[in-house]
PDB file of all heavy atoms in Angstrom:
ATOM      1  N   ILE I 210     125.078 167.243  55.724  1.00 96.00           N
ATOM      2  CA  ILE I 210     124.354 167.313  54.446  1.00 96.00           C
ATOM      3  C   ILE I 210     124.225 168.769  53.995  1.00 96.00           C
ATOM      4  O   ILE I 210     123.988 169.653  54.813  1.00 96.00           O
ATOM      5  CB  ILE I 210     122.937 166.708  54.663  1.00 96.00           C
ATOM      6  CG1 ILE I 210     123.023 165.248  55.080  1.00 96.00           C
ATOM      7  CG2 ILE I 210     122.019 166.886  53.481  1.00 96.00           C
ATOM      8  CD1 ILE I 210     123.483 164.344  54.002  1.00 96.00           C
ATOM      9  N   THR I 211     124.372 168.996  52.686  1.00 98.00           N
ATOM     10  CA  THR I 211     124.144 170.361  52.152  1.00 98.00           C
ATOM     11  C   THR I 211     122.727 170.437  51.571  1.00 98.00           C
ATOM     12  O   THR I 211     121.986 169.460  51.659  1.00 98.00           O
ATOM     13  CB  THR I 211     125.150 170.694  51.027  1.00 98.00           C
ATOM     14  OG1 THR I 211     124.848 169.885  49.882  1.00 98.00           O
ATOM     15  CG2 THR I 211     126.592 170.474  51.470  1.00 98.00           C
ATOM     16  N   ILE I 212     122.404 171.547  50.937  1.00 98.00           N
ATOM     17  CA  ILE I 212     121.112 171.591  50.238  1.00 98.00           C
ATOM     18  C   ILE I 212     121.188 170.707  48.995  1.00 98.00           C
ATOM     19  O   ILE I 212     122.261 170.251  48.606  1.00 98.00           O
ATOM     20  CB  ILE I 212     120.710 173.019  49.784  1.00 98.00           C
ATOM     21  CG1 ILE I 212     121.767 173.585  48.849  1.00 98.00           C
ATOM     22  CG2 ILE I 212     120.375 173.909  50.938  1.00 98.00           C
ATOM     23  CD1 ILE I 212     121.179 174.404  47.755  1.00 98.00           C
ATOM     24  N   PHE I 213     120.057 170.515  48.377  1.00 98.00           N
ATOM     25  CA  PHE I 213     119.964 169.643  47.215  1.00 98.00           C
ATOM     26  C   PHE I 213     119.832 170.516  45.976  1.00 98.00           C
ATOM     27  O   PHE I 213     118.816 171.208  45.803  1.00 98.00           O
ATOM     28  CB  PHE I 213     118.773 168.691  47.380  1.00 98.00           C
ATOM     29  CG  PHE I 213     118.662 168.241  48.806  1.00 98.00           C
ATOM     30  CD1 PHE I 213     117.536 168.523  49.567  1.00 98.00           C
ATOM     31  CD2 PHE I 213     119.744 167.609  49.405  1.00 98.00           C
ATOM     32  CE1 PHE I 213     117.484 168.157  50.898  1.00 98.00           C
ATOM     33  CE2 PHE I 213     119.698 167.246  50.739  1.00 98.00           C
ATOM     34  CZ  PHE I 213     118.562 167.521  51.486  1.00 98.00           C
ATOM     35  N   ALA I 214     120.888 170.476  45.156  1.00 98.00           N
ATOM     36  CA  ALA I 214     120.973 171.409  44.024  1.00 98.00           C
ATOM     37  C   ALA I 214     120.072 170.939  42.889  1.00 98.00           C
ATOM     38  O   ALA I 214     120.473 170.169  42.023  1.00 98.00           O
ATOM     39  CB  ALA I 214     122.422 171.510  43.578  1.00 98.00           C
ATOM     40  N   ASP I 215     118.838 171.407  42.922  1.00 98.00           N
ATOM     41  CA  ASP I 215     117.842 171.034  41.913  1.00 98.00           C
ATOM     42  C   ASP I 215     117.595 172.228  40.996  1.00 98.00           C
ATOM     43  O   ASP I 215     118.463 173.080  40.837  1.00 98.00           O
ATOM     44  CB  ASP I 215     116.557 170.577  42.611  1.00 98.00           C
ATOM     45  CG  ASP I 215     115.863 171.717  43.327  1.00 98.00           C
ATOM     46  OD1 ASP I 215     116.534 172.721  43.661  1.00 98.00           O
ATOM     47  OD2 ASP I 215     114.634 171.650  43.528  1.00 98.00           O
ATOM     48  N   TYR I 216     116.386 172.318  40.407  1.00 98.00           N
ATOM     49  CA  TYR I 216     116.116 173.513  39.595  1.00 98.00           C
ATOM     50  C   TYR I 216     115.163 174.488  40.283  1.00 98.00           C
ATOM     51  O   TYR I 216     114.933 175.573  39.764  1.00 98.00           O
ATOM     52  CB  TYR I 216     115.621 173.156  38.182  1.00 98.00           C
ATOM     53  CG  TYR I 216     114.471 172.152  38.086  1.00 98.00           C
ATOM     54  CD1 TYR I 216     113.142 172.524  38.221  1.00 98.00           C
ATOM     55  CD2 TYR I 216     114.746 170.811  37.834  1.00 98.00           C
ATOM     56  CE1 TYR I 216     112.111 171.600  38.104  1.00 98.00           C
ATOM     57  CE2 TYR I 216     113.715 169.876  37.719  1.00 98.00           C
ATOM     58  CZ  TYR I 216     112.396 170.285  37.854  1.00 98.00           C
ATOM     59  OH  TYR I 216     111.377 169.363  37.747  1.00 98.00           O
ATOM     60  N   ILE I 217     114.646 174.118  41.469  1.00 98.00           N
ATOM     61  CA  ILE I 217     113.723 175.022  42.171  1.00 98.00           C
ATOM     62  C   ILE I 217     114.486 175.960  43.117  1.00 98.00           C
ATOM     63  O   ILE I 217     114.304 177.183  43.085  1.00 98.00           O
ATOM     64  CB  ILE I 217     112.668 174.218  42.970  1.00 98.00           C
ATOM     65  CG1 ILE I 217     111.847 173.306  42.041  1.00 98.00           C
ATOM     66  CG2 ILE I 217     111.766 175.147  43.773  1.00 98.00           C
ATOM     67  CD1 ILE I 217     110.876 173.976  41.123  1.00 98.00           C
ATOM     68  N   VAL I 218     115.358 175.390  43.960  1.00 98.00           N
ATOM     69  CA  VAL I 218     116.067 176.219  44.961  1.00 98.00           C
ATOM     70  C   VAL I 218     116.890 177.341  44.299  1.00 98.00           C
ATOM     71  O   VAL I 218     116.827 178.490  44.746  1.00 98.00           O
ATOM     72  CB  VAL I 218     116.901 175.329  45.919  1.00 98.00           C
ATOM     73  CG1 VAL I 218     117.824 176.176  46.788  1.00 98.00           C
ATOM     74  CG2 VAL I 218     115.954 174.513  46.811  1.00 98.00           C
ATOM     75  N   PRO I 219     117.631 177.075  43.201  1.00 98.00           N
ATOM     76  CA  PRO I 219     118.352 178.194  42.571  1.00 98.00           C
ATOM     77  C   PRO I 219     117.413 179.315  42.114  1.00 98.00           C
ATOM     78  O   PRO I 219     117.751 180.497  42.235  1.00 98.00           O
ATOM     79  CB  PRO I 219     119.030 177.547  41.354  1.00 98.00           C
ATOM     80  CG  PRO I 219     119.166 176.105  41.704  1.00 98.00           C
ATOM     81  CD  PRO I 219     117.963 175.781  42.555  1.00 98.00           C
ATOM     82  N   ALA I 220     116.232 178.933  41.643  1.00 98.00           N
ATOM     83  CA  ALA I 220     115.284 179.967  41.184  1.00 98.00           C
ATOM     84  C   ALA I 220     114.812 180.821  42.359  1.00 98.00           C
ATOM     85  O   ALA I 220     114.638 182.039  42.233  1.00 98.00           O
ATOM     86  CB  ALA I 220     114.095 179.304  40.483  1.00 98.00           C
ATOM     87  N   VAL I 221     114.644 180.196  43.520  1.00 98.00           N
ATOM     88  CA  VAL I 221     114.225 180.944  44.715  1.00 98.00           C
ATOM     89  C   VAL I 221     115.362 181.864  45.167  1.00 98.00           C
ATOM     90  O   VAL I 221     115.143 183.037  45.496  1.00 98.00           O
ATOM     91  CB  VAL I 221     113.818 179.972  45.861  1.00 98.00           C
ATOM     92  CG1 VAL I 221     113.471 180.733  47.128  1.00 98.00           C
ATOM     93  CG2 VAL I 221     112.648 179.096  45.424  1.00 98.00           C
ATOM     94  N   LEU I 222     116.594 181.344  45.149  1.00 98.00           N
ATOM     95  CA  LEU I 222     117.745 182.166  45.575  1.00 98.00           C
ATOM     96  C   LEU I 222     117.926 183.351  44.627  1.00 98.00           C
ATOM     97  O   LEU I 222     118.300 184.453  45.048  1.00 98.00           O
ATOM     98  CB  LEU I 222     119.016 181.318  45.621  1.00 98.00           C
ATOM     99  CG  LEU I 222     119.050 180.221  46.700  1.00 98.00           C
ATOM    100  CD1 LEU I 222     120.269 179.321  46.523  1.00 98.00           C
ATOM    101  CD2 LEU I 222     119.050 180.842  48.112  1.00 98.00           C
ATOM    102  N   ARG I 223     117.627 183.129  43.366  1.00 98.00           N
ATOM    103  CA  ARG I 223     117.732 184.242  42.400  1.00 98.00           C
ATOM    104  C   ARG I 223     116.652 185.289  42.692  1.00 98.00           C
ATOM    105  O   ARG I 223     116.908 186.487  42.701  1.00 98.00           O
ATOM    106  CB  ARG I 223     117.574 183.686  40.987  1.00 98.00           C
ATOM    107  CG  ARG I 223     117.713 184.753  39.923  1.00 98.00           C
ATOM    108  CD  ARG I 223     117.376 184.179  38.563  1.00 98.00           C
ATOM    109  NE  ARG I 223     117.528 185.158  37.511  1.00 98.00           N
ATOM    110  CZ  ARG I 223     116.878 185.094  36.362  1.00 98.00           C
ATOM    111  NH1 ARG I 223     116.053 184.074  36.111  1.00 98.00           N
ATOM    112  NH2 ARG I 223     117.049 186.030  35.446  1.00 98.00           N
ATOM    113  N   GLU I 224     115.448 184.804  42.952  1.00 97.00           N
ATOM    114  CA  GLU I 224     114.323 185.693  43.264  1.00 97.00           C
ATOM    115  C   GLU I 224     114.629 186.516  44.529  1.00 97.00           C
ATOM    116  O   GLU I 224     114.277 187.689  44.622  1.00 97.00           O
ATOM    117  CB  GLU I 224     113.076 184.818  43.473  1.00 97.00           C
ATOM    118  CG  GLU I 224     111.805 185.545  43.853  1.00 97.00           C
ATOM    119  CD  GLU I 224     111.111 186.149  42.647  1.00 97.00           C
ATOM    120  OE1 GLU I 224     111.620 185.993  41.513  1.00 97.00           O
ATOM    121  OE2 GLU I 224     110.069 186.810  42.852  1.00 97.00           O
ATOM    122  N   LEU I 225     115.310 185.888  45.487  1.00 97.00           N
ATOM    123  CA  LEU I 225     115.663 186.599  46.730  1.00 97.00           C
ATOM    124  C   LEU I 225     116.799 187.601  46.511  1.00 97.00           C
ATOM    125  O   LEU I 225     117.136 188.364  47.413  1.00 97.00           O
ATOM    126  CB  LEU I 225     116.095 185.597  47.812  1.00 97.00           C
ATOM    127  CG  LEU I 225     114.989 184.733  48.431  1.00 97.00           C
ATOM    128  CD1 LEU I 225     115.601 183.637  49.307  1.00 97.00           C
ATOM    129  CD2 LEU I 225     114.026 185.586  49.258  1.00 97.00           C
ATOM    130  N   GLY I 226     117.427 187.543  45.334  1.00 97.00           N
ATOM    131  CA  GLY I 226     118.547 188.450  45.035  1.00 97.00           C
ATOM    132  C   GLY I 226     119.888 187.888  45.466  1.00 97.00           C
ATOM    133  O   GLY I 226     120.926 188.528  45.287  1.00 97.00           O
ATOM    134  N   ILE I 227     119.866 186.682  46.025  1.00 98.00           N
ATOM    135  CA  ILE I 227     121.118 186.089  46.532  1.00 98.00           C
ATOM    136  C   ILE I 227     121.997 185.601  45.381  1.00 98.00           C
ATOM    137  O   ILE I 227     123.213 185.749  45.410  1.00 98.00           O
ATOM    138  CB  ILE I 227     120.780 184.941  47.514  1.00 98.00           C
ATOM    139  CG1 ILE I 227     120.234 185.551  48.811  1.00 98.00           C
ATOM    140  CG2 ILE I 227     121.991 184.051  47.775  1.00 98.00           C
ATOM    141  CD1 ILE I 227     119.766 184.536  49.832  1.00 98.00           C
ATOM    142  N   LEU I 228     121.370 185.021  44.358  1.00 98.00           N
ATOM    143  CA  LEU I 228     122.133 184.645  43.162  1.00 98.00           C
ATOM    144  C   LEU I 228     121.908 185.703  42.101  1.00 98.00           C
ATOM    145  O   LEU I 228     120.763 186.102  41.840  1.00 98.00           O
ATOM    146  CB  LEU I 228     121.676 183.289  42.608  1.00 98.00           C
ATOM    147  CG  LEU I 228     121.973 182.029  43.410  1.00 98.00           C
ATOM    148  CD1 LEU I 228     121.639 180.790  42.578  1.00 98.00           C
ATOM    149  CD2 LEU I 228     123.422 181.958  43.870  1.00 98.00           C
ATOM    150  N   LYS I 229     122.998 186.163  41.500  1.00 98.00           N
ATOM    151  CA  LYS I 229     122.909 187.133  40.405  1.00 98.00           C
ATOM    152  C   LYS I 229     123.461 186.454  39.147  1.00 98.00           C
ATOM    153  O   LYS I 229     124.569 185.905  39.184  1.00 98.00           O
ATOM    154  CB  LYS I 229     123.768 188.371  40.718  1.00 98.00           C
ATOM    155  CG  LYS I 229     123.344 189.144  41.968  1.00 98.00           C
ATOM    156  CD  LYS I 229     122.210 190.088  41.635  1.00 98.00           C
ATOM    157  CE  LYS I 229     121.815 191.087  42.697  1.00 98.00           C
ATOM    158  NZ  LYS I 229     121.709 190.751  44.074  1.00 98.00           N
ATOM    159  N   TYR I 230     122.664 186.480  38.093  1.00 98.00           N
ATOM    160  CA  TYR I 230     123.091 185.846  36.842  1.00 98.00           C
ATOM    161  C   TYR I 230     123.558 186.899  35.850  1.00 98.00           C
ATOM    162  O   TYR I 230     122.980 188.001  35.784  1.00 98.00           O
ATOM    163  CB  TYR I 230     121.921 185.064  36.209  1.00 98.00           C
ATOM    164  CG  TYR I 230     121.448 183.846  36.997  1.00 98.00           C
ATOM    165  CD1 TYR I 230     120.287 183.183  36.615  1.00 98.00           C
ATOM    166  CD2 TYR I 230     122.164 183.353  38.079  1.00 98.00           C
ATOM    167  CE1 TYR I 230     119.845 182.052  37.308  1.00 98.00           C
ATOM    168  CE2 TYR I 230     121.719 182.229  38.781  1.00 98.00           C
ATOM    169  CZ  TYR I 230     120.565 181.592  38.394  1.00 98.00           C
ATOM    170  OH  TYR I 230     120.129 180.483  39.083  1.00 98.00           O
ATOM    171  N   GLY I 231     124.552 186.551  35.046  1.00 98.00           N
ATOM    172  CA  GLY I 231     124.981 187.432  33.967  1.00 98.00           C
ATOM    173  C   GLY I 231     123.858 187.581  32.945  1.00 98.00           C
ATOM    174  O   GLY I 231     122.927 186.772  32.925  1.00 98.00           O
ATOM    175  N   SER I 232     123.968 188.616  32.079  1.00 97.00           N
ATOM    176  CA  SER I 232     122.818 188.921  31.220  1.00 97.00           C
ATOM    177  C   SER I 232     122.511 187.793  30.231  1.00 97.00           C
ATOM    178  O   SER I 232     121.341 187.494  29.987  1.00 97.00           O
ATOM    179  CB  SER I 232     123.008 190.255  30.505  1.00 97.00           C
ATOM    180  OG  SER I 232     124.218 190.228  29.828  1.00 97.00           O
ATOM    181  N   ASN I 233     123.531 187.139  29.685  1.00 97.00           N
ATOM    182  CA  ASN I 233     123.232 186.053  28.727  1.00 97.00           C
ATOM    183  C   ASN I 233     122.496 184.902  29.409  1.00 97.00           C
ATOM    184  O   ASN I 233     121.512 184.373  28.884  1.00 97.00           O
ATOM    185  CB  ASN I 233     124.518 185.489  28.102  1.00 97.00           C
ATOM    186  CG  ASN I 233     125.111 186.471  27.115  1.00 97.00           C
ATOM    187  OD1 ASN I 233     124.456 187.449  26.728  1.00 97.00           O
ATOM    188  ND2 ASN I 233     126.351 186.243  26.739  1.00 97.00           N
ATOM    189  N   LEU I 234     122.973 184.564  30.589  1.00 98.00           N
ATOM    190  CA  LEU I 234     122.338 183.460  31.328  1.00 98.00           C
ATOM    191  C   LEU I 234     120.918 183.848  31.750  1.00 98.00           C
ATOM    192  O   LEU I 234     119.979 183.054  31.620  1.00 98.00           O
ATOM    193  CB  LEU I 234     123.193 183.084  32.549  1.00 98.00           C
ATOM    194  CG  LEU I 234     122.667 181.944  33.414  1.00 98.00           C
ATOM    195  CD1 LEU I 234     122.471 180.663  32.600  1.00 98.00           C
ATOM    196  CD2 LEU I 234     123.616 181.659  34.583  1.00 98.00           C
ATOM    197  N   SER I 235     120.756 185.078  32.207  1.00 98.00           N
ATOM    198  CA  SER I 235     119.409 185.552  32.584  1.00 98.00           C
ATOM    199  C   SER I 235     118.452 185.423  31.412  1.00 98.00           C
ATOM    200  O   SER I 235     117.330 184.928  31.561  1.00 98.00           O
ATOM    201  CB  SER I 235     119.442 187.034  32.976  1.00 98.00           C
ATOM    202  OG  SER I 235     120.031 187.175  34.222  1.00 98.00           O
ATOM    203  N   CYS I 236     118.909 185.859  30.227  1.00 97.00           N
ATOM    204  CA  CYS I 236     118.036 185.786  29.040  1.00 97.00           C
ATOM    205  C   CYS I 236     117.682 184.345  28.722  1.00 97.00           C
ATOM    206  O   CYS I 236     116.527 184.036  28.438  1.00 97.00           O
ATOM    207  CB  CYS I 236     118.732 186.365  27.813  1.00 97.00           C
ATOM    208  SG  CYS I 236     118.817 188.124  27.859  1.00 97.00           S
TER     209      CYS I 236
END
Side-chain angles (χ1 to χ4, degrees):
I210 298 290
T211 69
I212 59 143
F213 321 119
D215 68 337
Y216 50 83
I217 301 289
V218 170
V221 176
L222 293 172
R223 182 187 181 205
E224 178 81 0
L225 288 171
I227 288 176
L228 291 189
K229 298 277 190 318
Y230 293 171
S232 54
N233 288 347
L234 180 57
S235 286
C236 286

